[in-house]
Amino acid sequence: MHILIIDDHDFVCAGLKATLMERFDDAQISIANNGSNALDILRKGSINLVISDLFMPGSSGGFSFIDLICKNHPKVPLIVLSASENPSHIRKCVAIGAMGFVTKSAPKRSLFSAIDKALSGEIYMPESLIQPMPGLTRIMSEVDQGSEAISGLLTERQLDILARISKGLSNKLIARELDLSENTIKVHVSAILRALGLNNRTQAGLMGQKLASTLASESADNDD
């Protein structure tokens, strides 16, 4: 069996490789530290399983990257191994084609179980999916990994509305600016809260401010 590990941290790759060798001592394991290298390895056609981080710096990771692999290599099962424990992230990864999602805090038996299921064509879902949604502090910390931790869960329209919520605008003012009905804005706000696992509009405003700050930082880094 040929396994591809995709993660931008060398120590994570080394630890994961050692863990996999405990269970699959005859496996061939390749490592890619970014999306470009991963795609090059996948094009060679010898990979039987992909284990990938979700959020990596730059354009190497995120939901779009997971989606790209799943669409271009549908016969190769992919498991996401991420520090995120946000149920929304888990659901989205599975929805776009991942065969499983394992958090980096989970015991290795969870990873082995996910691998067994993925190789047999089944989907592995962690127990955290049925536990309460993560608190605001945890979600805020996830945004530090990159803006897609939040933006990848929302539509462009919802991002527009979130930005205006963060500025303190009421539903009526947002509706006026976007030329939409106030009821439509209410529906979008409810969808934003559900997608991000937030409890109220105040939390959404704080999240919008955090997202704006992260986007500004990413833009500055790209300009350098």
Side-chain angles (χ1 to χ4, degrees):
M1 179 166 63
H2 192 176
I3 303 173
L4 173 60
I5 297 172
I6 309 172
D7 197 293
D8 59 306
H9 293 101
D10 290 336
F11 72 93
V12 172
C13 293
L16 180 54
K17 181 176 180 178
T19 297
L20 291 171
M21 293 303 293
E22 292 179 19
R23 175 73 180 276
F24 309 100
D25 56 2
D26 60 344
Q28 178 183 351
I29 299 178
S30 295
I31 294 174
N33 295 119
N34 58 63
S36 178
N37 288 344
L39 295 176
D40 286 342
I41 294 172
L42 280 164
R43 289 189 190 100
K44 297 177 181 178
S46 64
I47 300 299
N48 304 111
L49 174 70
V50 174
I51 301 176
S52 177
D53 192 8
L54 178 55
F55 299 117
M56 294 183 286
S59 59
S60 293
F63 301 111
S64 58
F65 178 65
I66 300 300
D67 184 46
L68 178 65
I69 293 179
C70 291
K71 285 182 176 177
N72 289 348
H73 305 276
K75 295 183 179 180
V76 181
L78 181 147
I79 295 171
V80 175
L81 182 65
S82 173
S84 174
E85 298 183 15
N86 189 329
S88 296
H89 294 166
I90 298 171
R91 292 189 183 95
K92 176 139 188 172
C93 285
V94 171
I96 60 181
M99 295 299 292
F101 191 111
V102 180
T103 63
K104 289 182 177 178
S105 62
K108 59 185 177 182
R109 66 175 180 274
S110 296
L111 176 61
F112 293 153
S113 178
I115 292 173
D116 289 341
K117 283 183 174 292
L119 292 176
S120 63
E122 300 178 52
I123 294 176
Y124 174 84
M125 301 294 278
E127 293 181 3
S128 60
L129 187 63
I130 59 175
Q131 294 175 352
M133 297 292 271
L136 178 64
T137 301
R138 175 178 292 174
I139 304 175
M140 293 278 272
S141 68
E142 289 173 353
V143 183
D144 289 330
Q145 301 177 46
S147 60
E148 196 176 4
I150 296 302
S151 62
L153 298 173
L154 304 178
T155 65
E156 288 296 325
R157 176 64 77 192
Q158 289 167 351
L159 287 170
D160 285 343
I161 293 172
L162 181 61
R164 286 166 170 78
I165 291 174
S166 70
K167 295 177 182 178
L169 273 64
S170 66
N171 285 348
K172 179 179 287 187
L173 288 176
I174 295 174
R176 186 178 303 166
E177 285 194 3
L178 298 179
D179 195 24
L180 297 170
S181 71
E182 190 172 349
N183 186 60
T184 297
I185 299 301
K186 289 180 181 178
V187 171
H188 278 303
V189 171
S190 295
I192 290 169
L193 296 180
R194 285 196 304 272
L196 301 183
L198 303 176
N199 296 321
N200 52 54
R201 190 185 186 90
T202 299
Q203 290 185 348
L206 292 172
M207 183 60 66
Q209 292 172 7
K210 179 69 172 178
L211 177 60
S213 175
T214 300
L215 286 169
S217 177
E218 290 174 349
S219 178
D221 289 341
N222 291 334
D223 290 339
D224 291 341

